[in-house]
Amino acid sequence: MNTHKQFPEKLNITLTCASGVEKVLKSELKRLGYEDAPALNGALSLSGTPYDVARLNLFLRTADRVYIKAAEFSADDFDLLFEGVRAVRWEDYFPLNARVTVNGKCVKSKLFAISACQSIIKKAISDRLCGVYKVNRLAETGALYQVEFSLFKDVVSVYINTSGAGLHKRGYRDLVGIAPIKETLASSLILLSDFYKERPFTDPFCGSGTIAIEAARIALNIGGGVGRRFAFNDWDNFDGKLFDQAFTEAKDKEDRSRKLEIFASDIDPKAVKLAKRHAERAGVLDKIRFDVKDVKYFSTELSCGTIVTNPPYGERVYDIEEAERCYKSLGEVYKGLDRWSCFVITSAKNFEKKFGKKCDRDRKLYNSNRECKYYYYYADKKDK
Ligand SMILES: C[S@@+](CC[C@H](N)C(=O)[O-])C[C@H]1O[C@@H](n2cnc3c(N)ncnc32)[C@H](O)[C@@H]1O
C-alpha cells in the first residue's frame, strides 16, 4: 500500500487572523489573486490547492495561520463526535507514520470538556487510519500533523494546521524586547496606514524594531513567511516542489534594491541594539536608520511621511504618567510635521487628550488580547 500518497488537489483552506484585521487580510488575498474568500467567525475561507497552501504561508503578512479544513458536522454527544471524525478521509492527509496531535476549544456546546473531545477525536483518527492502513496501532514516528478543532454551538469544525508555529513568528526576532508587538499586528498597522513603498516612514518608539522592519519588508515586497519554515515542509506527502515554486515566485517579486527612507528610534539604547540585530536577521538592516532618541527630540528634514507607532501603554514596564508624557511629546512633535500622517496604537483611554488632538478616525484592535484603539491622523486633514 502506498502510505505516502500526495495531498488531495482540492482543499478547503481556512485563514485565521486577529480580530479587527479581517479586511486587511482580505485585501492581501485580493492582491495575491484570491478574490473569493468570505469571512466567517473571525476566519476567511477559500478553496485552493496544495500550491496555494505554500503560497499563502509564504506571502501573507496578517494571517495567523493557514489551515486545511478537514470536516464540519453537528455533534452534541461523543458518539456523533467519534463517528463524524472517523468518517473523514484522514488517509488523504496523514501517512502511516504520522504523529498526530489534537487541540481545540469548546464554546456554547453540549460537549464542553476539551480534553475528552481531544481524546475522542484522536481515537477516531487513529481508528480510521488503522483500518485503512491495516495495522493494529500507529507507530507515530514520522512528521508532526497538528489537528485543531472548534466546537461552537454543537457544530464541530476540524482543521489541519499547515503553518505550525503562528505566522507572526517570521524567524528574525530571536530575542525579546519590552512589550513587543506581534509581527502580524505590526504589518496590519502599516497596511491600514497611508504608507506606500517610497514614502518616508518612522517609528519613534521602535523597541525591538518590529514595525520598522515590517515596513521595510512590505516596501521591498519580501513575503511575510520568507525566512521561516512551516509544518508542511516536514510532510513527506506534501510535494516539496510546490514550496520551491512558491519560494521562487516570492523571490522574483522581491525588490531589495529599492531605496527607502525608513527611520526608527527609541530612548533605550538596548532596544535600539536589539532592533538592529533583528533588522539584520530580517535582511533589512541597510534599509532602516536607527537612532537612540527621546521622542521629544524627534525631528526630520523630510517634508512628508508616515509615523506608525506603538508607544508605552502605562500598564507594564512604564507607569501611566510616563506613558502620558510620551503621548504629549509625540503630539508636540507632530504639530511641527506638516505633511506627515500619524498612526498610533494604545490601550490608554485618554490618548487623544494627552496627544492634544482628536483623531480623524479610530479602529478597535487587540494587541495580545488587550483591547486597544488604533488612532489615525491623516496628513491631508491637518490644520494648516
Ligand atoms: C511598547 S514598546 C514598543 C515595542 C515595539 N513596537 C516592539 O515591537 O518591540 C514602547 C517603547 O517605547 C520606548 N520609550 C519609552 N519612552 C520613550 C521616549 N520618551 N522616547 C522614545 N522611546 C520611548 C521604550 O523604550 C519601548 O521600547
Side-chain angles (χ1 to χ4, degrees), residues 211-270:
I211 295 176
I213 292 169
E214 289 297 312
R217 285 174 63 107
I218 288 171
L220 302 175
N221 225 1
I222 302 175
V226 168
R228 63 160 274 172
R229 286 178 63 80
F230 310 98
F232 72 80
N233 288 128
D234 295 332
W235 300 345
D236 287 343
N237 58 341
F238 195 101
D239 185 356
K241 282 201 252 23
L242 299 177
F243 175 75
D244 296 344
Q245 202 181 323
F247 191 76
T248 305
E249 184 192 347
K251 285 280 149 192
D252 286 349
K253 286 189 166 153
E254 286 180 4
D255 182 3
R256 289 188 186 248
S257 63
R258 185 169 280 145
K259 264 187 76 118
L260 306 179
E261 302 267 23
I262 299 187
F263 304 86
S265 50
D266 197 286
I267 197 168
D268 179 358
K270 281 204 224 104

Side-chain angles (χ1 to χ4, degrees), residues 352-365:
E352 288 169 286
K353 189 159 173 252
K354 296 294 162 186
F355 186 78
K357 190 169 165 34
K358 268 204 90 56
C359 66
D360 297 316
R361 61 177 288 203
D362 62 44
R363 172 189 283 260
K364 188 162 56 160
L365 289 176

Side-chain angles (χ1 to χ4, degrees), residues 142-161:
L144 179 66
Y145 291 77
Q146 292 169 288
V147 171
E148 291 184 26
F149 71 89
S150 98
L151 242 162
F152 182 68
K153 293 188 179 166
D154 300 327
V155 174
V156 191
S157 306
V158 194
Y159 304 93
I160 302 163
N161 173 4

